Structure formats: C-alpha cells, structure tokens
Amino acid sequence: MANKRQLLAIVALFAALALVPLFVTDSYIRHLFIIAFVYAVIASNWNLSLGHCGVFNFGHLTFFGIGVYTAAIASKTFGINPWLAMLLGGGTAALSALLLAAPVARLKGIYVVLVTFAFSQLVLQLVLSQSQITGGAEGMVRLPFLQLGSYSFLKDFKFGYYYVGLALLALSCLFLAFVSNSSFGKSLKAVRDAEDYAAARGISVARQRILALTLSAIFTGIAGGFYATYLRVASPEVFGFGTLSLALSMVLIGGVNTVFGPVLAALVLTFATEAMAGLQGFEDARFIVIAVAMILVLRLAPEGLVDLLGKLRLPVRRTQT
Amino acid sequence: MSENILEIAGACKFFGGLKAVNDVSFAVARGEILGIAGPNGSGKSTLFNLITGVPFGPTSGEVRFMGERIDRWPAHRISRAGLVRTFQKDAEFPALSAHDTLLVSATYNGRLSRPQAEARIDDAFRSVDFGQTRRSMPSRELSVYEKKQLMIASALISEPALLMLDEPASGLTKPEIQRLDDLLITVNRSGVTVLLIEHVLSLLLSVSQRLIVLNQGSVLAAGDPHDVVKNPQVIEAYLGGRS
C-alpha cells in the first residue's frame, strides 16, 4: 500500500486539481485540464496491461475508440442518456478486450504487438466501412451533451465537464491502486518478471493476462465515452497513431511500474505540448521534443518520472507493491 | 489411496533428435525423500520440467500424481494440486518483496483468501528461518541463500504433498548446506514427500532414503543411496570413472 507520504502527495494533488476551476475561469485552460484527465485515464490504465503485466498491447487506444463510438451511437442513434452511454463505453471496451485477450494471452513479444495492432486496424476499418452507423471518415457530430437535472453542462465554461473528468480520473486511480495492491495485482508483476516461476506457484499466466487486458479497458472505454460526450464528436482520428504515441509516451515517461506516474506525465505532457504549440517554430517540433524526452527518460531513469522524483526526494514516489 | 504419491511410466522428452529423457519409469512413495543424481546433461532438470509442466510436459509417457494422470495438465493446475517445485537457478519475482512473494504463492497455489494467506506467511518465513528484517526487501536485493530460502518457503506455504527441489544446495556454503539438510529433514517429518535433485553428494546421502541415478536421459541405477554410489556403472558415469 502506498505509504502515508505518497498518499498525502496524491490527496494534495487531487485537492489542488479540485480547486483549479475556482481560480481558473478561462475555459480553454479548463479544456486542457479535461483533455489531460482523459489522457491520464488512458495512460494509467494502459500501464496496467503494459507495465504491470508486461503485455505489449498496442491496441489499447482501440478500447478508447470503442468507448467513443459506443457512447456516440448509444446517445445519438438510440437516444440513451449520455451518462449511461458513457458507462456503456466501458462495457463494450471491456468486452472487446476480452475477445482480443483470448488469442493474445498465449502469445509472446512481437506477436502480441502484431495481433493487437492488427486488431486496432480491424476496428478502424470497421468504423470507416460502416458509415451508415458510424458516420465513416467524417465521424458523428452534435452528440447529446451532459445534463444534471435542469443543469446544462453546455454553457458553464466547462465547469461541469471539468469535475466529471476529474471524478473519472479519481475513480480510475482508486480502481488501479486497489488492483495494484491486491494479490491479483502482485501476481501480474510475477507473471511479467518470471512466467515459469509464476506458473509453478499456481498462477495461470494466460488467465492473468486476459484479466489484465480486460480490466485495463473498463475505465479507458468510459474515458472514451466521456471524451465523445464532452467534445460532442466521434471521429476515427481517435484510432490514429498520433494519439497512440502520445499516450505511450505518457506511460513510459511516467513510469511503467507505477500507478500515478502516467497520471503525472499526462498532466505535464498535455500542458507542455500545448505550450510548445504556442511557441513560434515549435508547432510541429513538439512531438520531436516529446520523443527526445522519452528517450532521455528511458536512458537516464528507466523506471520513469515518478521514480526520478523519488530519487530527488520529492514527495511523490513510486507506488512500490 | 495409492501408496505411491507420484508414478512415472515410460516418460520421454525429445527435442528434435535429442532424447533428453528417454523411457524413464519410477515411483515416489508417500512420505519418502527420493534423491536424483546424475552428471550434467543427464536429464535431471528436464525430468522435473516434464513432471511439473514447467515449461513443458512429456513428449510421451504417463505421469500420475496421487493416482491422477497429470501429464496434460497446465503447470499452474499441477502446482495447485500439491506438486510444487523449486528451480535450479535463482527464480524470483524481482519487483515483489519477500513478503509479497509468499502472499502471491499462498493466494494462488494455496487458494487462500488474503487474511488466511497473511496469517500463514509468518509461519512460512519461520519454517526456513528467514530473517525478520529481510521480509519487506525486494526479492532482487536478497542474497543467494535468502533467495533459496524464499523459494522453498514459497513452495511450503501452500502445504504441498510433494516438494520437488532442483539443486537447492548449489552456490551455498557448507554451514548453509547443513542448515538446508536440517530443513529438509524437518519438512519431510511434517509429512511432505520430497523429490530432490542434487549434485552435493553429502546432502543426498544424508537425507535421501532412496537414490536414482540418471545418465543420458535414462535411469542408470536405483536403490539404497549407499549401495547406488558404489555401483561401478554409477562411478563410471557420475563420478568420472574413479574407483
């Protein structure tokens, strides 16, 4: 379990984030935070399969995309309440992860990368080809927005969406911390580091991989549903390589053996890329800067940003389990 | 219930043209310590692998554990059934502490709830005399002897019926081997049958009630340990021809 110091740092971070909208009224800054929360959910849940269990799953963004399109189709085509549509995104993402995990669980290394990447391409082609349902390459627009009773989230300068995004991130972190500190979470690290030894201690390697992939898709899919409901758009761009590489850089820079590393990296990288986009000459170079940062972190601190902060004796440290 | 806890009949493991284990048959009686010896490459560890399914089962032949045929079972099922092994090389979960290594073993192999598993961890540590201050250390930071202790404790915590030890004395000092000797006797007296691969002859002769010698994948000799080591064929194959 995270020690008191770690817990304090995490609570302080979330308390500070909860206060942001009270002092930051600029809706664009709030928007950046919301996008950072979404990325933080994607990256930290990806870390469950990639970092904790060692499954080289390159189809994680597909779970997000499935969440996006589930919420979009459910709310716009079937008129389902957007709150429920968001949750449905988690359900369909988990179901698709379960289907993907069955063949992947017994594969190793590059074959896992190939199959999961092929899966993401398959889903993308499905979205593009079924344009009467998904809108094809143009996607779906003007999706229903969130409402809470008579309160509309549409004209409050993103105040409501900010707190929904933050709540989603908080719930996702609680879920991941619980999983990581459970016997199941520890068994994932056992499977990752010593497959034969794990099997000789009664752990079904295939079963743990299937569960890790499925669990990692739940909040990722819900985040997809939230993203679609927030932007009111479902676009095939969510399956793009740019989104995938940015989320992967958050996992690797944040730290693959942690719960909160990717969360921290998502917050830092979202604002860093946005800041660089505003600098003349850096508009296109920002992704190169992120790539260089990723290489430097992997070279100098392979355990990631959180571990580096721990070594510098800063309060946020690796959640060692 | 069968008097034999483990029965191997015609077990073979081939890697292409290489017959790593070739038509091996023997039985392990309930409650005994059976030693397995043989020169390097004689098929001892391969035999352990095909019995436990880690990482592979036999090419052909039968393995029966407590009367049930297990040679097509997945490794984790065999282990949960009570046939638990250790490894020749240092096996560890480097990201887990010694405590968490036992927790995972107890939860999965022993099928215990977390509170039940936690309650058993202290006893498992004490059974191998594992240092109190070392229990929260990451496994990767433990000494060779501590890693061996931990591997045995992680096997014992699920209360196996048959414990299979693959060269537990390798890399240990003389006093550590003596402590291991005592531990094996204690474990065996608690009702655990032990199958032991070992190169340290003094340990084998001290604890084993029977000894099997393998050579080139086949059983060369079997019987009372003190008689087997005097067998001329064994001396030729295992001890390099000294008389």
Side-chain angles (χ1 to χ4, degrees):
Chain A
M1 196 68 193
N3 65 32
K4 279 183 184 173
R5 216 169 139 205
Q6 291 170 336
L7 205 60
L8 203 65
I10 293 158
V11 170
L13 174 68
F14 274 93
L17 288 173
L19 293 174
V20 165
L22 305 180
F23 300 102
V24 178
T25 51
D26 183 341
S27 61
Y28 181 64
I29 301 291
R30 288 178 180 174
H31 165 75
L32 288 182
F33 271 106
I34 294 167
I35 296 301
F37 296 157
V38 170
Y39 268 114
V41 173
I42 296 171
S44 55
N45 279 275
W46 194 355
N47 196 29
L48 182 65
S49 61
L50 181 69
H52 292 238
C53 195
V55 179
F56 295 109
N57 164 30
F58 272 65
H60 188 74
L61 262 293
T62 310
F63 305 148
F64 177 72
I66 287 170
V68 165
Y69 275 93
T70 300
I73 294 166
S75 62
K76 185 160 188 182
T77 311
F78 295 104
I80 293 172
N81 185 304
W83 290 100
L84 185 59
M86 274 169 31
L87 296 179
L88 282 176
T92 52
L95 195 64
S96 66
L98 187 64
L99 292 173
L100 171 66
V104 161
R106 286 176 178 81
L107 297 177
K108 285 183 182 177
I110 189 71
Y111 299 104
V112 177
V113 176
L114 291 174
V115 171
T116 53
F117 191 69
F119 172 73
S120 70
Q121 293 305 300
L122 181 79
V123 174
L124 172 61
Q125 291 308 318
L126 201 66
V127 166
L128 291 175
S129 64
Q130 302 301 310
S131 55
Q132 71 280 16
I133 302 169
T134 61
E138 291 174 6
M140 299 171 75
V141 293
R142 296 184 63 79
L143 302 178
F145 52 87
L146 289 180
Q147 283 181 297
L148 203 58
S150 59
Y151 181 81
S152 167
F153 282 56
L154 198 58
K155 291 173 182 168
D156 66 351
F157 302 97
K158 305 188 188 305
F159 185 83
Y161 278 115
Y162 181 96
Y163 281 108
V164 175
L166 182 60
L168 180 62
L169 177 59
L171 285 173
S172 169
C173 286
L174 282 173
F175 168 75
L176 290 172
F178 173 76
V179 169
S180 176
N181 287 304
S182 68
S183 297
F184 168 74
K186 295 175 199 302
S187 79
L188 297 185
K189 290 177 181 172
V191 165
R192 177 195 64 191
D193 293 335
E195 202 177 300
D196 287 344
Y197 187 24
R201 291 297 170 268
I203 301 168
S204 168
V205 173
R207 184 174 173 272
Q208 303 310 84
R209 284 182 178 152
I210 290 170
L211 285 172
L213 274 169
T214 307
L215 292 176
S216 76
I218 296 173
F219 272 93
T220 305
I222 296 174
F226 170 70
Y227 185 78
T229 310
Y230 166 60
L231 293 179
R232 302 187 64 201
V233 168
S235 158
E237 279 178 22
V238 293
F239 298 102
F241 198 73
T243 323
L244 183 141
S245 57
L246 186 59
L248 182 61
S249 65
M250 289 165 181
V251 176
L252 298 177
I253 291 174
V256 293
N257 211 20
T258 68
V259 169
F260 292 97
V263 174
L264 202 62
L267 290 168
V268 171
L269 287 183
T270 303
F271 281 91
T273 50
E274 200 55 32
M276 280 187 281
L279 293 175
Q280 204 171 7
F282 265 92
E283 296 92 341
D284 296 322
R286 54 190 167 154
F287 296 111
I288 298 172
V289 173
I290 290 174
V292 171
M294 192 158 71
I295 292 167
L296 285 175
V297 168
L298 288 175
R299 183 72 187 87
L300 302 173
E303 297 284 310
L305 203 60
V306 169
D307 194 60
L308 193 65
L309 291 175
K311 284 175 184 164
L312 295 172
R313 294 176 181 277
L314 290 175
V316 183
R317 289 176 58 197
R318 204 175 75 175
T319 310
Q320 179 65 53
T321 53
Chain B
M1 197 177 279
S2 170
E3 275 301 297
N4 293 326
I5 194 164
L6 183 73
E7 292 166 323
I8 316 291
C12 297
K13 186 67 195 180
F14 302 152
F15 298 102
L18 175 71
K19 295 176 177 178
V21 171
N22 188 19
D23 195 22
V24 168
S25 300
F26 67 93
V28 183
R30 194 179 290 275
E32 76 170 330
I33 298 181
L34 174 63
I36 297 180
N40 287 330
S42 59
K44 303 183 298 294
S45 291
T46 307
L47 180 64
F48 260 36
N49 292 345
L50 69 85
I51 293 171
T52 57
V54 182
F56 45 69
T59 305
S60 61
E62 282 188 15
V63 180
R64 288 183 182 275
F65 177 60
M66 297 202 283
E68 273 204 86
R69 194 165 170 184
I70 62 165
D71 46 81
R72 292 291 175 264
W73 286 13
H76 70 273
R77 187 176 168 199
I78 293 173
S79 185
R80 285 180 186 180
L83 195 163
V84 184
R85 69 170 294 178
T86 65
F87 292 83
Q88 181 183 348
K89 290 181 181 164
D90 295 337
E92 57 176 341
F93 301 134
L96 300 187
S97 66
H99 173 277
D100 287 348
T101 298
L102 294 194
L103 176 68
V104 164
S105 301
T107 309
Y108 286 90
N109 227 15
R111 310 189 91 161
L112 300 174
S113 66
R114 186 153 183 171
Q116 288 172 323
E118 293 281 3
R120 206 181 274 184
I121 286 173
D122 196 42
D123 283 345
F125 273 131
R126 268 194 273 115
S127 71
V128 295
D129 199 21
F130 196 90
Q132 184 85 37
T133 56
R134 310 288 285 169
R135 297 176 184 184
S136 57
M137 294 281 285
S139 299
R140 61 176 173 267
E141 292 175 21
L142 299 174
S143 70
V144 173
Y145 183 63
E146 285 170 331
K147 284 178 184 176
K148 300 258 183 198
Q149 285 178 302
L150 183 60
M151 192 156 36
I152 294 172
S154 73
L156 291 175
I157 197 164
S158 59
E159 298 182 339
L162 174 58
L163 177 63
M164 295 175 55
L165 300 163
D166 193 350
E167 295 194 31
S170 68
L172 301 189
T173 62
K174 261 191 171 178
E176 287 168 347
I177 291 172
Q178 185 52 53
R179 281 155 68 187
L180 181 65
D181 186 315
D182 297 339
L183 171 64
L184 293 183
I185 299 291
T186 308
V187 166
N188 182 241
R189 282 182 185 157
S190 72
V192 180
T193 307
V194 178
L195 189 54
L196 171 69
I197 290 177
E198 193 47 72
H199 270 305
V200 178
L201 209 55
S202 59
L203 178 66
L204 266 182
L205 293 176
S206 165
V207 301
S208 304
Q209 285 126 30
R210 282 195 307 135
L211 182 64
I212 289 175
V213 176
L214 292 181
N215 189 35
Q216 296 182 347
S218 300
V219 175
L220 184 66
D224 180 272
H226 294 92
D227 294 338
V228 169
V229 294
K230 289 174 191 160
N231 182 319
Q233 282 180 296
V234 171
I235 294 168
E236 172 70 27
Y238 183 59
L239 302 176
R242 283 190 289 124
S243 55

